[in-house]
Amino acid sequence: MTDRLPGDGDPFHAMWLRDFDLKTLPSPSKIAGWVPVLRGFGEPVSVPLMVVRGIADGPAILAVAGVHGNEYEGMEAIRRVFAELDPAILRGTFAAIPVANPFAFEARTRATPADIDGINLARIFPGQSDGTPTSALANQLLDFVMRNVGPDDLFIDIHSGSHDVAYATVVGVRAVEHPGRAASERAARHFGIPDLWLIPDSSGPFNAETSRRGIPTIGTETLGRAGCDPGGVAAFAAGLRNMLHLYEMLADADPPARNDAGFRPTINLNAPCSGIMQDTVELYQTVNPGDRLCTIVDTFGQIIDEIVTPCAGDIWAARSTPAVRIGELLFSIALHGEQPG
């Protein structure tokens, strides 16, 4: 049985996300509902929050999906795991926001629609409380994580490939040295996905900014393409269950197996020109230095450029739509020969 959050159906009287403290919820309880985040749209903009608070105190695992509005595998994995959990046998708290960007989700797009501000939520954390709608949303989401996830807890940022680019199923940690790095690596190693990713550091992504602030954090990718790949859903749901067992929040199974593979860094190859891609390599294909990855032709079929790989590795992201614009991602290559992290 799932209760509704106080004030559900009347967002003006619900607790706002900026004030939400998971520890104040009844124990045990299983609660789901809409929590308001932003004003200024006639009625508050809300995000869905799902919480299972166990019968005993313990760690908190907070999972977020839908930072991009058309990445559906993580949303479905969260729903499945939430439905399974019984607060009467849970130690600690499992919480999830399956749709972090309601603007993009409603529009079925990667980024917030242009008529709102056109911003990619995944690129602007920590945001600004008085910024554009997407910037203010980023600020509220990061604040929620910082107040509810501590050094003994875990934040999981679940992503999929875009409509144009398919991704391998991977789990990883940001290449950021921080107090939660060891706990992050431990979680990634037990998540259950074979390929471990050392995610390049950059400013703006959710999992980069939580890592930078010392929060144990892992991030994921899977096929995506604005679909809901069953394999990706199953991998993410199994990973969430593995985290519950790793953190000893459930006592009905053995701890998940440890993956001792190396955390592999990636390099991105972007389009040097606009055109049509032909003869491209496939996701997971192994490549060696000098291998041709694709040919780019113009509208009339004349070759403009050929893309070759500068390194040995495996294709972990591949553009799946033929038309490409200059500067867009073509491929991401996971390097060979790296040492374990």
Side-chain angles (χ1 to χ4, degrees), residues 141-150 209-210 213-215:
L141 290 167
L142 181 60
D143 176 72
F144 177 69
V145 174
M146 295 303 298
R147 287 186 291 102
N148 287 281
V149 182
E209 298 307 325
T210 56
R213 289 158 176 78
I215 297 295

Side-chain angles (χ1 to χ4, degrees), residues 70-264:
N70 58 0
E71 295 182 0
Y72 301 109
E73 287 93 343
M75 302 178 196
E76 177 59 22
I78 284 171
R79 287 190 289 267
R80 290 187 185 183
V81 172
F82 177 79
E84 298 167 1
L85 288 177
D86 180 356
I89 60 172
L90 182 72
R91 187 179 75 90
T93 302
F94 174 80
I97 297 176
V99 178
N101 188 343
F103 301 118
F105 178 75
E106 180 67 22
R108 293 178 286 184
T109 55
R110 180 173 173 83
T112 301
D115 62 347
I116 296 174
D117 62 20
I119 293 175
N120 182 345
L121 175 61
R123 299 294 180 266
I124 61 162
F125 288 89
Q128 294 180 309
S129 60
D130 58 351
T132 69
T134 307
S135 180
L137 176 62
N139 185 264
Q140 292 297 324
L141 290 167
L142 181 60
D143 176 72
F144 177 69
V145 174
M146 295 303 298
R147 287 186 291 102
N148 287 281
V149 182
D152 298 322
D153 306 322
L154 180 67
F155 173 61
I156 308 173
D157 188 20
I158 307 177
H159 284 268
S160 311
S162 71
H163 184 273
D164 300 317
V165 180
Y167 268 82
T169 300
V170 296
V171 61
V173 300
R174 280 280 169 181
V176 176
E177 292 302 325
H178 63 97
R181 175 67 178 269
S184 303
E185 291 190 3
R186 175 174 177 264
R189 289 192 179 283
H190 290 85
F191 197 78
I193 291 176
D195 289 318
L196 301 179
W197 186 17
L198 184 61
I199 310 170
D201 185 26
S202 60
S203 60
F206 205 169
N207 60 65
E209 298 307 325
T210 56
S211 297
R212 218 178 309 285
R213 289 158 176 78
I215 297 295
T217 298
I218 59 175
T220 72
E221 291 282 359
T222 194
L223 185 66
R225 297 195 62 193
C228 195
D229 176 59
V233 173
F236 288 167
L240 291 174
R241 296 184 195 104
N242 283 340
M243 295 300 91
L244 292 166
H245 291 298
L246 178 67
Y247 278 74
E248 300 181 345
M249 297 168 68
L250 292 171
D252 59 349
D254 293 331
R258 174 184 164 90
N259 180 356
D260 288 320
F263 284 87
R264 297 174 64 183

